[in-house]
Amino acid sequence: MTTHPTSGRTVAIIGGGPAGLAAGRLIKLADPTAQVTVYERTDSSTETFGFGVGLTEATMNNLAQVDPQTADRLREAAYGGHSLVLRTEGRDVGLHGARNLAIGRAVLLEVLTKAALDVGVEIRAGVKADPADIAADVVVAADGARSAVRDAVAEQLGVHVAHGNLHFLWCGTDFAVDNAHFTWRGTGDEQFVVHAYPYADDRSTFLIEADEVTWEAAGLAANADATPAGESDTASLAHLERVFADELRGRALLANRTRWARFPNVTLDHWSTGKIVLIGDAAHTAHYTIGSGTKLAIEDAIALAVALAEHADTTEAFAAYEAARRPSVQRFKHLAARSQNWWSSFRDRSDDAPEVMALSYMTRAGNLGIAHYAAEFPETATAALRGLGAKPTGGWADVDDWVLGLPVDLPALRAPTRELTDELLAGAARVNWPGGAAWSAQHDAFVADVVAADDPVVVVSGPSDPAAVGARIDLAERIRWAGKTVVVEIPAALRAEAAAAVAVGRADAVVLTA
Protein backbone atom coordinates (compact mmCIF):
# COMPACT_ATOMS: atom_id res chain seq x y z
CA MET A 1 0.00 0.00 0.00
CA THR A 2 1.70 3.21 -1.17
CA THR A 3 0.86 6.17 1.05
CA HIS A 4 2.23 9.35 2.58
CA PRO A 5 2.26 8.58 6.30
CA THR A 6 1.38 11.11 8.95
CA SER A 7 3.32 11.33 12.18
CA GLY A 8 2.37 9.01 14.99
CA ARG A 9 -1.41 9.29 15.01
CA THR A 10 -3.09 7.29 17.79
CA VAL A 11 -5.99 5.15 16.64
CA ALA A 12 -8.42 3.28 18.88
CA ILE A 13 -10.67 0.70 17.23
CA ILE A 14 -13.73 -0.46 19.13
CA GLY A 15 -14.77 -3.91 17.95
CA GLY A 16 -12.56 -6.89 17.21
CA GLY A 17 -14.62 -8.37 14.39
CA PRO A 18 -13.53 -8.54 10.73
CA ALA A 19 -13.98 -4.79 10.21
CA GLY A 20 -11.98 -3.77 13.27
CA LEU A 21 -9.14 -6.26 12.85
CA ALA A 22 -8.77 -5.56 9.14
CA ALA A 23 -8.77 -1.83 9.81
CA GLY A 24 -6.14 -2.22 12.52
CA ARG A 25 -3.70 -4.04 10.28
CA LEU A 26 -4.32 -1.88 7.21
CA ILE A 27 -3.98 1.40 9.13
CA LYS A 28 -0.69 0.19 10.57
CA LEU A 29 0.54 -0.97 7.17
CA ALA A 30 -0.33 2.38 5.59
CA ASP A 31 1.25 4.35 8.43
CA PRO A 32 3.79 2.34 10.46
CA THR A 33 4.17 5.26 12.88
CA ALA A 34 0.53 5.03 13.94
CA GLN A 35 -0.26 3.60 17.37
CA VAL A 36 -3.21 1.28 16.82
CA THR A 37 -5.20 -0.45 19.55
CA VAL A 38 -8.19 -2.73 19.05
CA TYR A 39 -10.65 -3.10 21.92
CA GLU A 40 -12.85 -6.22 21.92
CA ARG A 41 -15.34 -6.79 24.71
CA THR A 42 -15.21 -10.61 24.48
CA ASP A 43 -12.10 -12.39 25.68
CA SER A 44 -12.19 -15.76 23.91
CA SER A 45 -12.63 -17.03 20.39
CA THR A 46 -15.18 -19.48 21.77
CA GLU A 47 -17.47 -16.50 22.28
CA THR A 48 -17.40 -15.69 18.56
CA PHE A 49 -20.91 -15.36 17.24
CA GLY A 50 -21.93 -16.94 13.96
CA PHE A 51 -20.82 -19.69 11.64
CA GLY A 52 -19.50 -19.19 8.11
CA VAL A 53 -19.23 -15.99 6.07
CA GLY A 54 -18.67 -15.43 2.36
CA LEU A 55 -15.66 -13.84 0.68
CA THR A 56 -16.25 -12.72 -2.91
CA GLU A 57 -13.51 -12.78 -5.51
CA ALA A 58 -13.88 -9.03 -5.96
CA THR A 59 -13.18 -8.44 -2.28
CA MET A 60 -10.24 -10.84 -2.27
CA ASN A 61 -8.75 -9.05 -5.27
CA ASN A 62 -9.20 -5.66 -3.61
CA LEU A 63 -7.51 -6.91 -0.46
CA ALA A 64 -4.68 -8.51 -2.44
CA GLN A 65 -3.84 -5.15 -3.99
CA VAL A 66 -3.12 -3.57 -0.59
CA ASP A 67 -2.27 -6.58 1.57
CA PRO A 68 -1.37 -9.65 -0.49
CA GLN A 69 -0.07 -11.55 2.54
CA THR A 70 -3.41 -11.46 4.37
CA ALA A 71 -5.29 -12.21 1.17
CA ASP A 72 -3.16 -15.32 0.66
CA ARG A 73 -3.70 -16.42 4.27
CA LEU A 74 -7.45 -16.08 3.91
CA ARG A 75 -7.47 -18.06 0.68
CA GLU A 76 -5.50 -20.85 2.32
CA ALA A 77 -7.94 -20.99 5.22
CA ALA A 78 -11.13 -20.65 3.18
CA TYR A 79 -13.37 -23.29 1.68
CA GLY A 80 -14.31 -22.96 -1.98
CA GLY A 81 -15.50 -24.64 -5.12
CA HIS A 82 -19.22 -24.83 -4.47
CA SER A 83 -22.01 -23.60 -6.74
CA LEU A 84 -25.38 -22.12 -5.82
CA VAL A 85 -28.57 -24.00 -6.63
CA LEU A 86 -32.31 -23.84 -6.04
CA ARG A 87 -33.13 -27.16 -4.41
CA THR A 88 -36.64 -28.49 -4.97
CA GLU A 89 -37.92 -31.85 -3.82
CA GLY A 90 -37.36 -33.28 -7.28
CA ARG A 91 -34.15 -31.68 -8.54
CA ASP A 92 -31.62 -28.89 -8.35
CA VAL A 93 -31.72 -25.87 -10.65
CA GLY A 94 -28.48 -23.98 -11.13
CA LEU A 95 -28.45 -20.32 -10.16
CA HIS A 96 -24.98 -19.08 -10.97
CA GLY A 97 -21.48 -20.35 -11.45
CA ALA A 98 -19.62 -18.06 -9.03
CA ARG A 99 -17.24 -20.14 -6.96
CA ASN A 100 -17.13 -17.82 -3.99
CA LEU A 101 -15.07 -18.67 -0.96
CA ALA A 102 -16.53 -19.21 2.49
CA ILE A 103 -14.74 -19.26 5.80
CA GLY A 104 -15.70 -19.98 9.39
CA ARG A 105 -16.08 -16.75 11.30
CA ALA A 106 -13.81 -18.00 14.07
CA VAL A 107 -11.12 -18.94 11.52
CA LEU A 108 -11.51 -15.57 9.80
CA LEU A 109 -10.96 -13.79 13.10
CA GLU A 110 -7.98 -15.98 13.91
CA VAL A 111 -6.30 -15.08 10.60
CA LEU A 112 -7.06 -11.38 10.96
CA THR A 113 -5.95 -11.30 14.60
CA LYS A 114 -2.57 -12.80 13.75
CA ALA A 115 -2.22 -10.43 10.81
CA ALA A 116 -2.91 -7.44 13.05
CA LEU A 117 -0.51 -8.58 15.76
CA ASP A 118 2.21 -9.21 13.17
CA VAL A 119 2.41 -5.51 12.32
CA GLY A 120 2.29 -4.25 15.89
CA VAL A 121 -1.39 -3.65 16.51
CA GLU A 122 -2.26 -3.97 20.19
CA ILE A 123 -5.38 -6.03 20.91
CA ARG A 124 -7.10 -5.66 24.26
CA ALA A 125 -9.60 -8.47 24.66
CA GLY A 126 -12.25 -8.52 27.36
CA VAL A 127 -12.41 -4.72 27.44
CA LYS A 128 -15.67 -2.88 26.89
CA ALA A 129 -14.37 0.47 25.65
CA ASP A 130 -16.16 3.80 25.80
CA PRO A 131 -15.02 6.50 23.33
CA ALA A 132 -15.37 9.11 26.06
CA ASP A 133 -12.70 7.34 28.10
CA ILE A 134 -10.22 6.83 25.25
CA ALA A 135 -7.44 9.33 24.64
CA ALA A 136 -6.84 8.84 20.91
CA ASP A 137 -6.69 11.00 17.80
CA VAL A 138 -9.12 8.69 16.00
CA VAL A 139 -11.78 6.34 17.33
CA VAL A 140 -12.99 3.78 14.82
CA ALA A 141 -16.39 2.28 15.63
CA ALA A 142 -16.35 -1.26 14.26
CA ASP A 143 -18.79 -2.71 16.76
CA GLY A 144 -21.41 -4.07 14.39
CA ALA A 145 -25.01 -3.52 13.41
CA ARG A 146 -26.07 -2.88 17.01
CA SER A 147 -23.21 -0.49 17.61
CA ALA A 148 -23.08 1.03 21.09
CA VAL A 149 -20.72 3.72 19.81
CA ARG A 150 -23.21 4.69 17.11
CA ASP A 151 -26.03 4.83 19.63
CA ALA A 152 -24.01 7.19 21.82
CA VAL A 153 -23.61 9.75 19.00
CA ALA A 154 -26.76 8.96 17.05
CA GLU A 155 -27.99 12.56 16.99
CA GLN A 156 -24.82 13.81 15.33
CA LEU A 157 -24.73 10.96 12.78
CA GLY A 158 -28.38 10.94 11.72
CA VAL A 159 -29.17 7.27 12.30
CA HIS A 160 -31.96 5.43 10.50
CA VAL A 161 -32.77 1.82 11.39
CA ALA A 162 -35.64 -0.15 9.83
CA HIS A 163 -36.17 -3.83 10.55
CA GLY A 164 -37.13 -6.36 7.88
CA ASN A 165 -40.36 -8.34 7.79
CA LEU A 166 -38.84 -11.79 8.08
CA HIS A 167 -37.65 -13.52 11.22
CA PHE A 168 -34.35 -15.36 10.83
CA LEU A 169 -31.81 -17.30 12.85
CA TRP A 170 -28.28 -18.48 12.18
CA CYS A 171 -27.56 -22.18 12.66
CA GLY A 172 -24.93 -24.60 11.49
CA THR A 173 -24.48 -28.25 10.58
CA ASP A 174 -21.65 -30.64 11.39
CA PHE A 175 -21.22 -31.63 7.74
CA ALA A 176 -20.54 -29.77 4.50
CA VAL A 177 -23.59 -29.49 2.26
CA ASP A 178 -22.73 -30.44 -1.32
CA ASN A 179 -23.55 -27.01 -2.75
CA ALA A 180 -24.70 -23.66 -1.52
CA HIS A 181 -28.47 -23.79 -1.92
CA PHE A 182 -31.81 -22.57 -0.76
CA THR A 183 -34.94 -24.62 -0.27
CA TRP A 184 -38.14 -24.49 1.76
CA ARG A 185 -40.08 -26.92 3.92
CA GLY A 186 -43.10 -26.98 6.21
CA THR A 187 -46.63 -28.26 6.61
CA GLY A 188 -49.91 -26.38 6.78
CA ASP A 189 -49.31 -22.66 7.06
CA GLU A 190 -45.70 -23.14 8.07
CA GLN A 191 -43.08 -22.40 5.42
CA PHE A 192 -39.46 -22.23 6.53
CA VAL A 193 -36.80 -21.19 4.01
CA VAL A 194 -33.18 -22.21 4.45
CA HIS A 195 -30.06 -20.66 2.95
CA ALA A 196 -27.25 -23.20 3.33
CA TYR A 197 -23.61 -23.16 2.27
CA PRO A 198 -20.45 -25.07 3.26
CA TYR A 199 -17.55 -23.24 4.88
CA ALA A 200 -15.34 -26.17 5.96
CA ASP A 201 -14.99 -29.88 5.27
CA ASP A 202 -17.26 -30.59 8.22
CA ARG A 203 -19.33 -27.43 8.63
CA SER A 204 -22.09 -25.48 6.89
CA THR A 205 -24.06 -22.37 7.65
CA PHE A 206 -27.79 -23.08 7.85
CA LEU A 207 -29.70 -19.78 7.96
CA ILE A 208 -33.46 -20.20 8.37
CA GLU A 209 -36.21 -17.66 7.70
CA ALA A 210 -39.86 -17.50 8.75
CA ASP A 211 -42.49 -15.02 7.57
CA GLU A 212 -45.29 -13.72 9.79
CA VAL A 213 -47.69 -16.49 8.77
CA THR A 214 -45.15 -19.12 9.78
CA TRP A 215 -44.26 -17.18 12.92
CA GLU A 216 -47.85 -17.40 14.09
CA ALA A 217 -48.58 -20.93 12.86
CA ALA A 218 -45.51 -22.44 14.55
CA GLY A 219 -45.90 -20.49 17.79
CA LEU A 220 -42.38 -19.09 17.49
CA ALA A 221 -43.09 -15.95 19.49
CA ALA A 222 -43.58 -18.06 22.64
CA ASN A 223 -40.27 -19.83 22.00
CA ALA A 224 -38.47 -16.52 21.55
CA ASP A 225 -40.01 -15.01 24.68
CA ALA A 226 -38.98 -18.03 26.77
CA THR A 227 -35.32 -17.92 25.65
CA PRO A 228 -33.04 -16.19 28.20
CA ALA A 229 -30.71 -13.48 26.95
CA GLY A 230 -27.47 -14.85 25.52
CA GLU A 231 -28.83 -18.38 25.07
CA SER A 232 -30.10 -20.35 22.08
CA ASP A 233 -33.78 -20.92 21.32
CA THR A 234 -33.75 -24.68 21.89
CA ALA A 235 -37.50 -25.09 21.37
CA SER A 236 -37.37 -23.55 17.90
CA LEU A 237 -34.23 -25.52 17.05
CA ALA A 238 -35.94 -28.79 17.97
CA HIS A 239 -38.90 -27.86 15.78
CA LEU A 240 -36.63 -26.97 12.86
CA GLU A 241 -34.70 -30.23 13.19
CA ARG A 242 -37.97 -32.04 12.56
CA VAL A 243 -38.91 -29.79 9.63
CA PHE A 244 -35.51 -30.18 7.94
CA ALA A 245 -34.82 -33.76 9.04
CA ASP A 246 -34.03 -34.93 5.50
CA GLU A 247 -31.76 -31.99 4.72
CA LEU A 248 -29.98 -32.43 8.06
CA ARG A 249 -29.56 -36.20 7.52
CA GLY A 250 -31.21 -36.71 10.87
CA ARG A 251 -28.56 -34.69 12.70
CA ALA A 252 -28.93 -31.82 15.12
CA LEU A 253 -28.52 -28.17 14.23
CA LEU A 254 -25.46 -26.45 15.65
CA ALA A 255 -26.26 -23.38 17.72
CA ASN A 256 -24.29 -20.43 19.05
CA ARG A 257 -26.52 -17.95 20.85
CA THR A 258 -28.98 -18.84 18.08
CA ARG A 259 -32.25 -16.99 18.41
CA TRP A 260 -34.78 -15.29 16.16
CA ALA A 261 -34.13 -11.76 14.96
CA ARG A 262 -35.26 -9.37 12.25
CA PHE A 263 -32.61 -7.85 10.02
CA PRO A 264 -31.71 -4.24 10.93
CA ASN A 265 -31.31 -2.01 7.86
CA VAL A 266 -28.89 0.67 9.07
CA THR A 267 -28.30 3.94 7.20
CA LEU A 268 -26.45 7.02 8.42
CA ASP A 269 -26.56 10.61 7.18
CA HIS A 270 -22.93 10.99 8.24
CA TRP A 271 -20.30 8.33 8.88
CA SER A 272 -18.23 10.39 11.30
CA THR A 273 -18.50 13.01 14.01
CA GLY A 274 -15.59 14.64 15.80
CA LYS A 275 -12.85 12.07 16.20
CA ILE A 276 -15.24 9.11 15.73
CA VAL A 277 -15.63 7.33 12.39
CA LEU A 278 -17.76 4.26 11.67
CA ILE A 279 -17.03 1.31 9.41
CA GLY A 280 -18.72 -1.97 8.44
CA ASP A 281 -22.11 -2.85 9.90
CA ALA A 282 -21.82 -0.03 12.42
CA ALA A 283 -22.06 2.43 9.51
CA HIS A 284 -24.34 0.54 7.14
CA THR A 285 -25.91 -2.86 6.68
CA ALA A 286 -26.84 -4.75 3.53
CA HIS A 287 -29.15 -7.75 3.67
CA TYR A 288 -27.43 -11.10 4.11
CA THR A 289 -29.04 -12.58 0.96
CA ILE A 290 -26.40 -10.90 -1.20
CA GLY A 291 -23.60 -11.91 1.16
CA SER A 292 -21.92 -8.51 1.33
CA GLY A 293 -21.39 -7.81 5.03
CA THR A 294 -17.79 -8.99 5.26
CA LYS A 295 -17.06 -7.59 1.81
CA LEU A 296 -18.20 -4.10 2.75
CA ALA A 297 -16.40 -4.24 6.09
CA ILE A 298 -13.03 -5.13 4.55
CA GLU A 299 -13.40 -2.60 1.75
CA ASP A 300 -14.30 0.08 4.30
CA ALA A 301 -11.14 -0.78 6.20
CA ILE A 302 -9.04 -0.45 3.05
CA ALA A 303 -10.48 2.97 2.22
CA LEU A 304 -10.20 4.30 5.77
CA ALA A 305 -6.56 3.22 6.05
CA VAL A 306 -5.71 5.01 2.81
CA ALA A 307 -7.59 8.16 3.80
CA LEU A 308 -5.96 8.38 7.21
CA ALA A 309 -2.49 7.90 5.74
CA GLU A 310 -3.01 10.50 3.01
CA HIS A 311 -4.61 13.25 5.12
CA ALA A 312 -2.96 14.72 8.20
CA ASP A 313 -6.22 16.45 9.09
CA THR A 314 -8.62 13.93 10.61
CA THR A 315 -11.75 15.69 9.36
CA GLU A 316 -10.38 15.68 5.83
CA ALA A 317 -9.47 12.00 6.15
CA PHE A 318 -12.97 11.07 7.27
CA ALA A 319 -14.50 13.07 4.41
CA ALA A 320 -12.23 11.37 1.88
CA TYR A 321 -13.07 7.94 3.29
CA GLU A 322 -16.80 8.52 3.12
CA ALA A 323 -16.60 10.04 -0.36
CA ALA A 324 -14.66 7.01 -1.57
CA ARG A 325 -16.97 4.42 -0.02
CA ARG A 326 -20.50 5.80 0.07
CA PRO A 327 -21.30 5.36 -3.66
CA SER A 328 -20.29 1.70 -3.63
CA VAL A 329 -22.06 1.05 -0.34
CA GLN A 330 -25.23 2.72 -1.61
CA ARG A 331 -25.15 0.52 -4.69
CA PHE A 332 -24.89 -2.62 -2.58
CA LYS A 333 -27.59 -1.41 -0.22
CA HIS A 334 -29.87 -0.92 -3.23
CA LEU A 335 -29.16 -4.43 -4.50
CA ALA A 336 -29.60 -5.85 -1.02
CA ALA A 337 -32.93 -4.07 -0.54
CA ARG A 338 -34.26 -5.55 -3.78
CA SER A 339 -33.08 -8.99 -2.71
CA GLN A 340 -34.68 -8.55 0.71
CA ASN A 341 -37.99 -7.61 -0.92
CA TRP A 342 -37.83 -10.73 -3.08
CA TRP A 343 -37.36 -12.98 -0.08
CA SER A 344 -40.01 -11.12 1.91
CA SER A 345 -42.54 -12.18 -0.71
CA PHE A 346 -41.22 -15.72 -1.14
CA ARG A 347 -44.42 -17.43 0.06
CA ASP A 348 -46.21 -16.10 -3.03
CA ARG A 349 -43.39 -17.31 -5.28
CA SER A 350 -43.02 -20.81 -3.92
CA ASP A 351 -45.58 -22.34 -6.30
CA ASP A 352 -43.77 -21.02 -9.40
CA ALA A 353 -42.03 -23.47 -11.71
CA PRO A 354 -38.42 -23.91 -10.58
CA GLU A 355 -37.10 -22.40 -13.81
CA VAL A 356 -39.25 -19.29 -13.42
CA MET A 357 -38.19 -18.96 -9.80
CA ALA A 358 -34.54 -19.32 -10.77
CA LEU A 359 -34.74 -16.58 -13.41
CA SER A 360 -36.69 -14.36 -11.03
CA TYR A 361 -34.07 -14.94 -8.33
CA MET A 362 -31.16 -14.13 -10.60
CA THR A 363 -32.75 -10.89 -11.83
CA ARG A 364 -34.29 -9.90 -8.50
CA ALA A 365 -31.87 -7.08 -7.68
CA GLY A 366 -31.73 -5.53 -11.14
CA ASN A 367 -27.98 -5.90 -11.62
CA LEU A 368 -28.22 -9.03 -13.81
CA GLY A 369 -30.37 -9.54 -16.88
CA ILE A 370 -31.81 -12.53 -18.71
CA ALA A 371 -28.84 -12.81 -21.06
CA HIS A 372 -26.40 -13.08 -18.15
CA TYR A 373 -28.24 -16.04 -16.67
CA ALA A 374 -28.95 -17.65 -20.05
CA ALA A 375 -25.26 -17.59 -20.96
CA GLU A 376 -24.67 -20.25 -18.31
CA PHE A 377 -28.05 -21.98 -18.13
CA PRO A 378 -29.70 -21.64 -21.55
CA GLU A 379 -32.09 -24.57 -21.11
CA THR A 380 -33.36 -23.26 -17.79
CA ALA A 381 -33.79 -19.76 -19.21
CA THR A 382 -35.67 -21.15 -22.21
CA ALA A 383 -38.03 -23.07 -19.93
CA ALA A 384 -38.60 -19.98 -17.77
CA LEU A 385 -39.54 -17.88 -20.80
CA ARG A 386 -42.14 -20.35 -22.06
CA GLY A 387 -44.65 -18.58 -19.87
CA LEU A 388 -44.57 -15.70 -22.33
CA GLY A 389 -46.19 -17.99 -24.90
CA ALA A 390 -43.29 -18.45 -27.30
CA LYS A 391 -39.79 -19.85 -27.53
CA PRO A 392 -36.95 -17.31 -27.67
CA THR A 393 -35.65 -16.68 -31.17
CA GLY A 394 -32.24 -15.41 -32.17
CA GLY A 395 -29.22 -15.33 -29.89
CA TRP A 396 -29.29 -14.64 -26.19
CA ALA A 397 -27.67 -11.28 -26.81
CA ASP A 398 -30.97 -10.22 -28.39
CA VAL A 399 -33.27 -11.72 -25.75
CA ASP A 400 -34.29 -8.34 -24.30
CA ASP A 401 -35.51 -7.20 -27.72
CA TRP A 402 -37.36 -10.48 -28.14
CA VAL A 403 -39.14 -10.18 -24.78
CA LEU A 404 -40.14 -6.55 -25.28
CA GLY A 405 -41.18 -7.24 -28.86
CA LEU A 406 -43.83 -9.81 -27.87
CA PRO A 407 -47.47 -8.67 -28.12
CA VAL A 408 -49.68 -7.88 -25.14
CA ASP A 409 -52.95 -9.81 -25.38
CA LEU A 410 -54.82 -9.34 -22.11
CA PRO A 411 -58.49 -8.57 -21.45
CA ALA A 412 -57.60 -5.08 -20.21
CA LEU A 413 -54.78 -4.28 -22.62
CA ARG A 414 -53.80 -5.20 -26.16
CA ALA A 415 -50.74 -3.90 -27.96
CA PRO A 416 -48.34 -5.13 -30.65
CA THR A 417 -45.34 -5.14 -28.27
CA ARG A 418 -44.56 -5.02 -24.55
CA GLU A 419 -42.88 -1.67 -25.08
CA LEU A 420 -45.75 0.82 -24.95
CA THR A 421 -46.26 4.53 -25.47
CA ASP A 422 -48.20 7.00 -23.34
CA GLU A 423 -50.79 7.32 -26.12
CA LEU A 424 -51.75 3.66 -25.71
CA LEU A 425 -52.25 4.21 -21.99
CA ALA A 426 -54.37 7.34 -22.07
CA GLY A 427 -57.15 5.79 -19.98
CA ALA A 428 -54.97 3.98 -17.43
CA ALA A 429 -54.65 4.84 -13.77
CA ARG A 430 -51.40 6.52 -12.82
CA VAL A 431 -49.44 5.77 -9.64
CA ASN A 432 -46.30 7.68 -8.69
CA TRP A 433 -44.03 5.67 -6.41
CA PRO A 434 -40.96 7.55 -5.13
CA GLY A 435 -39.52 4.49 -3.40
CA GLY A 436 -39.85 2.25 -0.38
CA ALA A 437 -40.08 -1.46 0.36
CA ALA A 438 -43.15 -2.44 -1.65
CA TRP A 439 -43.72 -5.68 0.25
CA SER A 440 -43.66 -4.00 3.64
CA ALA A 441 -46.86 -4.13 5.68
CA GLN A 442 -46.73 -0.35 6.03
CA HIS A 443 -47.73 -0.10 2.36
CA ASP A 444 -50.62 -2.56 2.54
CA ALA A 445 -53.25 0.19 2.60
CA PHE A 446 -51.70 1.96 -0.39
CA VAL A 447 -51.69 -1.24 -2.45
CA ALA A 448 -55.24 -2.05 -1.37
CA ASP A 449 -56.44 1.34 -2.58
CA VAL A 450 -54.78 0.87 -5.97
CA VAL A 451 -56.23 -2.61 -6.36
CA ALA A 452 -59.72 -1.50 -5.29
CA ALA A 453 -59.89 1.26 -7.93
CA ASP A 454 -62.02 0.65 -11.02
CA ASP A 455 -59.17 1.12 -13.51
CA PRO A 456 -58.02 -2.32 -14.75
CA VAL A 457 -54.67 -0.97 -16.01
CA VAL A 458 -52.18 0.74 -13.70
CA VAL A 459 -49.09 2.65 -14.83
CA VAL A 460 -46.40 2.99 -12.15
CA SER A 461 -43.96 5.87 -12.51
CA GLY A 462 -41.46 7.74 -10.35
CA PRO A 463 -37.88 9.03 -10.22
CA SER A 464 -35.28 7.70 -12.65
CA ASP A 465 -32.52 6.68 -10.23
CA PRO A 466 -31.91 2.90 -10.05
CA ALA A 467 -33.15 2.55 -6.46
CA ALA A 468 -36.46 4.24 -7.25
CA VAL A 469 -36.86 2.22 -10.45
CA GLY A 470 -36.27 -1.02 -8.59
CA ALA A 471 -38.75 -0.01 -5.90
CA ARG A 472 -41.53 0.62 -8.40
CA ILE A 473 -40.84 -2.63 -10.24
CA ASP A 474 -41.36 -4.38 -6.90
CA LEU A 475 -44.56 -2.40 -6.34
CA ALA A 476 -45.75 -3.29 -9.84
CA GLU A 477 -45.25 -6.98 -9.12
CA ARG A 478 -47.30 -6.75 -5.96
CA ILE A 479 -50.14 -4.89 -7.71
CA ARG A 480 -50.06 -7.34 -10.63
CA TRP A 481 -50.31 -10.31 -8.30
CA ALA A 482 -53.43 -8.70 -6.85
CA GLY A 483 -55.10 -8.88 -10.27
CA LYS A 484 -54.32 -5.66 -12.09
CA THR A 485 -52.65 -5.25 -15.46
CA VAL A 486 -49.51 -3.26 -14.71
CA VAL A 487 -47.18 -1.16 -16.84
CA VAL A 488 -43.97 0.32 -15.41
CA GLU A 489 -42.08 3.37 -16.59
CA ILE A 490 -38.37 2.48 -16.80
CA PRO A 491 -35.48 4.53 -18.20
CA ALA A 492 -34.25 3.24 -21.57
CA ALA A 493 -30.79 2.88 -20.03
CA LEU A 494 -32.24 0.07 -17.86
CA ARG A 495 -33.70 -1.84 -20.81
CA ALA A 496 -32.32 -5.19 -19.60
CA GLU A 497 -34.07 -4.71 -16.25
CA ALA A 498 -37.28 -3.82 -18.09
CA ALA A 499 -37.11 -7.03 -20.13
CA ALA A 500 -36.44 -9.12 -17.03
CA ALA A 501 -39.41 -7.51 -15.26
CA VAL A 502 -41.71 -8.58 -18.11
CA ALA A 503 -40.12 -12.01 -18.48
CA VAL A 504 -40.71 -13.11 -14.88
CA GLY A 505 -44.06 -11.41 -14.36
CA ARG A 506 -43.15 -8.31 -12.40
CA ALA A 507 -44.93 -6.25 -15.03
CA ASP A 508 -47.11 -6.88 -18.09
CA ALA A 509 -45.44 -4.20 -20.16
CA VAL A 510 -43.17 -1.16 -19.88
CA VAL A 511 -42.82 2.41 -21.07
CA LEU A 512 -39.18 3.23 -21.75
CA THR A 513 -38.39 6.81 -20.85
CA ALA A 514 -35.45 9.06 -21.71
mmCIF file of all heavy atoms in Angstrom, residues 33 89 145 177 198 204 258 269 275 301 313:
data_model
loop_
_atom_site.group_PDB
_atom_site.id
_atom_site.type_symbol
_atom_site.label_atom_id
_atom_site.label_comp_id
_atom_site.label_asym_id
_atom_site.label_seq_id
_atom_site.Cartn_x
_atom_site.Cartn_y
_atom_site.Cartn_z
ATOM 1 N N THR A 33 3.973 4.465 11.663
ATOM 2 C CA THR A 33 4.172 5.262 12.879
ATOM 3 C C THR A 33 2.907 5.367 13.721
ATOM 4 O O THR A 33 2.960 5.847 14.857
ATOM 5 C CB THR A 33 4.644 6.686 12.522
ATOM 6 O OG1 THR A 33 3.572 7.404 11.889
ATOM 7 C CG2 THR A 33 5.839 6.650 11.593
ATOM 8 N N GLU A 89 -37.836 -30.457 -4.266
ATOM 9 C CA GLU A 89 -37.917 -31.849 -3.819
ATOM 10 C C GLU A 89 -37.507 -32.814 -4.922
ATOM 11 O O GLU A 89 -37.051 -33.914 -4.661
ATOM 12 C CB GLU A 89 -39.325 -32.156 -3.324
ATOM 13 C CG GLU A 89 -39.676 -31.430 -2.031
ATOM 14 C CD GLU A 89 -40.976 -31.927 -1.432
ATOM 15 O OE1 GLU A 89 -41.453 -32.982 -1.870
ATOM 16 O OE2 GLU A 89 -41.504 -31.259 -0.536
ATOM 17 N N ALA A 145 -23.712 -4.092 13.764
ATOM 18 C CA ALA A 145 -25.013 -3.522 13.412
ATOM 19 C C ALA A 145 -25.726 -2.909 14.608
ATOM 20 O O ALA A 145 -26.523 -1.981 14.453
ATOM 21 C CB ALA A 145 -25.890 -4.599 12.767
ATOM 22 N N VAL A 177 -22.590 -29.253 3.298
ATOM 23 C CA VAL A 177 -23.588 -29.495 2.260
ATOM 24 C C VAL A 177 -22.879 -29.510 0.909
ATOM 25 O O VAL A 177 -21.817 -28.894 0.739
ATOM 26 C CB VAL A 177 -24.709 -28.428 2.276
ATOM 27 C CG1 VAL A 177 -25.506 -28.522 3.567
ATOM 28 C CG2 VAL A 177 -24.151 -27.030 2.082
ATOM 29 N N PRO A 198 -21.573 -24.477 2.502
ATOM 30 C CA PRO A 198 -20.455 -25.067 3.260
ATOM 31 C C PRO A 198 -19.362 -24.044 3.486
ATOM 32 O O PRO A 198 -19.105 -23.183 2.647
ATOM 33 C CB PRO A 198 -19.969 -26.185 2.329
ATOM 34 C CG PRO A 198 -20.265 -25.658 0.947
ATOM 35 C CD PRO A 198 -21.539 -24.857 1.083
ATOM 36 N N SER A 204 -21.294 -26.314 7.798
ATOM 37 C CA SER A 204 -22.087 -25.479 6.891
ATOM 38 C C SER A 204 -22.861 -24.457 7.708
ATOM 39 O O SER A 204 -23.216 -24.707 8.862
ATOM 40 C CB SER A 204 -23.100 -26.315 6.095
ATOM 41 O OG SER A 204 -22.471 -27.299 5.316
ATOM 42 N N THR A 258 -28.092 -18.843 19.237
ATOM 43 C CA THR A 258 -28.978 -18.836 18.079
ATOM 44 C C THR A 258 -30.402 -18.529 18.513
ATOM 45 O O THR A 258 -31.025 -19.303 19.237
ATOM 46 C CB THR A 258 -28.923 -20.203 17.371
ATOM 47 O OG1 THR A 258 -27.593 -20.404 16.869
ATOM 48 C CG2 THR A 258 -29.916 -20.265 16.229
ATOM 49 N N ASP A 269 -26.757 9.388 7.960
ATOM 50 C CA ASP A 269 -26.564 10.613 7.178
ATOM 51 C C ASP A 269 -25.088 10.977 7.102
ATOM 52 O O ASP A 269 -24.623 11.524 6.099
ATOM 53 C CB ASP A 269 -27.340 11.769 7.802
ATOM 54 C CG ASP A 269 -28.843 11.564 7.753
ATOM 55 O OD1 ASP A 269 -29.316 10.808 6.876
ATOM 56 O OD2 ASP A 269 -29.551 12.154 8.607
ATOM 57 N N LYS A 275 -13.949 13.000 16.449
ATOM 58 C CA LYS A 275 -12.847 12.071 16.196
ATOM 59 C C LYS A 275 -13.326 10.639 15.955
ATOM 60 O O LYS A 275 -12.512 9.721 15.817
ATOM 61 C CB LYS A 275 -11.869 12.092 17.367
ATOM 62 C CG LYS A 275 -12.430 11.519 18.671
ATOM 63 C CD LYS A 275 -11.370 11.557 19.767
ATOM 64 C CE LYS A 275 -11.896 10.920 21.072
ATOM 65 N NZ LYS A 275 -10.867 10.935 22.133
ATOM 66 N N ALA A 301 -12.422 -0.833 5.509
ATOM 67 C CA ALA A 301 -11.139 -0.781 6.202
ATOM 68 C C ALA A 301 -10.024 -0.342 5.265
ATOM 69 O O ALA A 301 -9.145 0.452 5.638
ATOM 70 C CB ALA A 301 -10.817 -2.148 6.814
ATOM 71 N N ASP A 313 -5.046 15.944 8.397
ATOM 72 C CA ASP A 313 -6.216 16.452 9.090
ATOM 73 C C ASP A 313 -7.274 15.355 9.184
ATOM 74 O O ASP A 313 -7.702 14.801 8.162
ATOM 75 C CB ASP A 313 -6.789 17.664 8.340
ATOM 76 C CG ASP A 313 -7.985 18.262 9.059
ATOM 77 O OD1 ASP A 313 -7.775 19.083 9.960
ATOM 78 O OD2 ASP A 313 -9.132 17.867 8.718
#
